[in-house]
Amino acid sequence: ELKVEQNPLFLSMQEGKNYTIYCNYSTTSDRLYWYRQDPGKSLESLFVLLSNGAVKQEGRLMASLDTKARLSTLHITAAVHDLSATYFCAGASGTYKYIFGTGTRLKVLA
Amino acid sequence: ETGVTQSPTHLIKTRGQQVTLRCSSQSGHNTVSWYQQALGQGPQFIFQYYREEENGRGNFPPRFSGLQFPNYSSELNVNALELDDSALYLCASSLEGQGAVRGYTFGSGTRLTVV
């Protein structure tokens, strides 16, 4: 069955710095999703990546998908405090089931 | 358009009891999925409903059951509650086939505590 691993699990970074969160998955999955979750809140959809080489950007976040390497990345540019949250990637298993990673807890320090 | 709404937001139950959680899907969405998120973990797929029938299930025991109604709202029922059932339960909706392309819309969740 599809397995999804994220690293790092915890990330503390200074404002203004850049960093990348990695999402590896174990078997073929041509769809990859990124979600953000604030403490005690639900999941907010960030990116839907549907094909090899897909790259999407929204503000300071950019996500990419390499299906051959079974790798997706979420790159943070010039981090600001408002980006502090937990970020999840999820692969699609079949047509309906998401398999989530354990999440990366990001804390941006002023 | 309204989003996915879940009720109640918080719930405390005693071990061995039964609980029902409710979800109203986003307007126009006919598919509902339920996920369990334990503290510090990623959400885990419980099951999905489409056209009032279960059309996919994760690794959860039969005491986790559900329903979908003609208006596409849904219930999650858990019998014989165990302490490990304490978690945030998330409902997600989509239009058939669109969930894969656009991603699911998640509700705010129900925080269940079993004591």
Side-chain angles (χ1 to χ4, degrees):
Chain A
E1 185 180 72
L2 176 66
K3 286 182 170 46
V4 178
E5 291 185 357
Q6 286 181 241
N7 68 83
L9 298 183
F10 298 95
L11 177 56
S12 180
M13 57 191 297
Q14 296 288 330
E15 275 193 331
K17 298 293 187 183
N18 304 333
Y19 210 84
T20 299
I21 299 171
Y22 297 90
C23 176
N24 292 89
Y25 53 95
S26 61
T27 63
T28 300
S29 176
D30 55 3
R31 290 169 279 137
L32 201 291
Y33 308 87
W34 284 95
Y35 282 86
R36 167 182 171 146
Q37 187 175 41
D38 292 295
K41 304 294 185 182
S42 188
L43 298 168
E44 174 191 354
S45 179
L46 294 175
F47 300 108
V48 178
L49 303 169
L50 298 177
S51 60
N52 186 41
V55 177
K56 291 195 175 179
Q57 183 163 7
E58 181 74 33
R60 301 174 187 274
L61 301 178
M62 183 174 71
S64 66
L65 178 62
D66 181 344
T67 58
K68 294 180 181 178
R70 297 178 184 167
L71 171 68
S72 180
T73 60
L74 180 66
H75 186 72
I76 302 157
T77 301
V80 293
H81 180 70
D82 285 352
L83 290 179
S84 297
T86 299
Y87 293 85
F88 291 97
C89 64
S93 178
T95 58
Y96 53 82
K97 177 179 174 181
Y98 285 4
I99 304 294
F100 283 84
T102 49
T104 296
R105 191 175 302 173
L106 171 66
K107 186 172 184 179
V108 181
L109 305 172
Chain B
E1 67 186 8
T2 57
V4 178
T5 57
Q6 293 186 242
S7 63
T9 55
H10 296 84
L11 201 52
I12 300 175
K13 288 287 191 177
T14 302
R15 189 171 49 183
Q17 286 188 314
Q18 179 266 343
V19 69
T20 297
L21 310 181
R22 294 178 174 82
C23 171
S24 293
S25 60
Q26 182 170 317
S27 178
H29 286 185
N30 57 9
T31 301
V32 173
S33 301
W34 287 91
Y35 285 80
Q36 180 196 65
Q37 186 179 20
L39 199 61
Q41 301 294 317
Q44 290 193 49
F45 176 76
I46 303 175
F47 42 55
Q48 183 182 81
Y49 278 83
Y50 170 64
R51 291 184 176 178
E52 302 177 52
E53 291 195 3
E54 184 183 294
N55 74 338
R57 189 177 182 91
N59 296 325
F60 282 81
R63 57 190 186 84
F64 285 78
S65 63
L67 287 172
Q68 186 181 32
F69 300 99
N71 66 354
Y72 306 131
S73 66
S74 177
E75 286 183 354
L76 164 64
N77 299 290
V78 187
N79 294 322
L81 284 166
E82 300 176 0
L83 296 179
D84 284 349
D85 295 333
S86 296
L88 179 68
Y89 288 84
L90 295 164
C91 172
S93 75
S94 72
L95 186 60
E96 181 208 357
Q98 295 299 311
V101 176
R102 298 183 183 178
Y104 290 106
T105 301
F106 283 83
S108 299
T110 293
R111 172 73 63 186
L112 172 64
T113 302
V114 182
V115 297

